[in-house]
Amino acid sequence: MNPEFWHKRWQEGRIGFNQSTVNPLLIEYFNCLNLTVGSRIFVPLCGKSIDMVWLATQGYDVVGVELFETAVQEFFAEQNIEPAVYQQADNPMIKYYQSQLSEQTITLWVADIFALTAKDIGSINAVYDKAALIVLPADMRVRYSEEVRKLSSDTSKVDGANNKITPQLLLTLNYDQRKKNGPPFSINADQLEQYYSAHYQIYELASVPSSIGSAPDITVTEHVWLLSSK
């Protein structure tokens, strides 16, 4: 992940990846996670995704992580919410914004995801990854998948190897990578096996036609995956 690349995109407002409506695949397949109302959903590399608003209005607390503070500030401003801002006790360079929406708590960390711990994130019941894995280059994806697993694991147990695996709803894109060199990057089933099969059962829930705004002539499919404990 090249922070300068994404920082420039946010500065210039080139955020076509940020959807103005809730992803319909989230609405259709979220119940596959079998969560009780009030559960806490982790959204890595969250940007200012409106999907987080939908999760809150459905009765779920949201915990997001975003590298760029501008995105977090814009999220709360666009939702007409005044958040409180807190610093991490051990690192004053890391902070989080927190407020209520539809009586649910939304906590957005401004940090490199690899600088956080499960203690920071707190108890998590599920992960929603719409636009995190697909923006990372191949050499970062294994590390990222492990980091998300650790951040969302059951922190009540001391031995991380025996922690309860938290389910994930994962959305990916698949296209001919020779025609476009991401991001977003194309991810296929074999790659998912490489990143997640050590700890998760991988189920494909859907495959639908999609598109990439910067490359409208490329044939793209969007895939919905459920990752659950083995």
Side-chain angles (χ1 to χ4, degrees):
M1 181 167 51
N2 185 333
E4 291 75 21
F5 171 84
W6 292 108
H7 184 69
K8 185 176 181 181
R9 291 283 293 265
W10 279 102
Q11 277 189 324
E12 297 175 351
R14 293 190 295 121
I15 52 173
F17 51 84
N18 186 74
Q19 297 177 320
S20 59
T21 58
V22 178
N23 192 304
L25 296 175
L26 168 63
I27 298 173
E28 184 171 358
Y29 292 101
F30 182 78
N31 285 339
C32 293
L33 290 168
N34 294 317
L35 300 175
T36 59
V37 171
S39 297
R40 299 182 84 231
I41 314 299
F42 181 42
V43 185
L45 312 191
C46 62
K48 58 175 182 177
S49 173
I50 199 171
D51 289 356
M52 296 188 289
V53 175
W54 185 86
L55 290 169
T57 60
Q58 300 306 301
Y60 301 97
D61 290 339
V62 175
V63 181
V65 177
E66 172 55 43
L67 186 61
F68 301 105
E69 190 168 11
T70 298
V72 173
Q73 292 170 336
E74 289 183 3
F75 172 83
F76 286 105
E78 290 172 6
Q79 303 309 319
N80 295 312
I81 303 171
E82 185 66 37
V85 183
Y86 304 91
Q87 288 184 327
Q88 186 199 53
D90 298 330
N91 187 344
M93 298 299 292
I94 296 177
K95 66 180 71 171
Y96 63 92
Y97 288 63
Q98 188 174 76
S99 192
Q100 300 290 122
L101 179 63
S102 298
E103 300 184 354
Q104 303 305 131
T105 301
I106 295 184
T107 305
L108 302 186
W109 286 86
V110 179
D112 184 331
I113 191 170
F114 299 108
L116 295 176
T117 67
K119 182 179 178 181
D120 294 321
I121 298 299
S123 178
I124 294 295
N125 302 108
V127 177
Y128 171 54
D129 182 337
K130 177 181 74 72
L133 182 68
I134 62 174
V135 304
L136 297 175
D139 61 356
M140 290 190 66
R141 293 178 201 150
V142 171
R143 182 186 176 201
Y144 163 80
S145 65
E146 279 295 293
E147 182 71 4
V148 170
R149 182 182 65 83
K150 292 174 182 177
L151 290 177
S152 61
S153 63
D154 183 353
T155 57
S156 66
K157 296 181 180 180
V158 175
D159 183 0
N162 295 322
N163 283 352
K164 179 178 179 294
I165 298 296
T166 300
Q168 298 190 37
L169 189 67
L170 171 64
L171 275 58
T172 63
L173 300 177
N174 194 3
Y175 59 88
D176 187 345
Q177 191 80 72
R178 294 170 299 179
K179 296 182 178 180
K180 175 180 167 55
N181 185 27
F185 295 99
S186 177
I187 305 288
N188 60 40
D190 289 340
Q191 289 171 306
L192 281 187
E193 287 286 330
Q194 176 189 350
Y195 307 146
Y196 294 102
S197 63
H199 300 283
Y200 297 89
Q201 295 279 3
I202 302 172
Y203 304 95
E204 184 174 11
L205 303 179
S207 173
V208 300
S210 187
S211 63
I212 299 174
S214 61
D217 296 331
I218 296 179
T219 300
V220 182
T221 55
E222 187 167 13
H223 299 258
V224 184
W225 309 88
L226 176 65
L227 310 182
S228 61
S229 179
K230 280 193 166 182

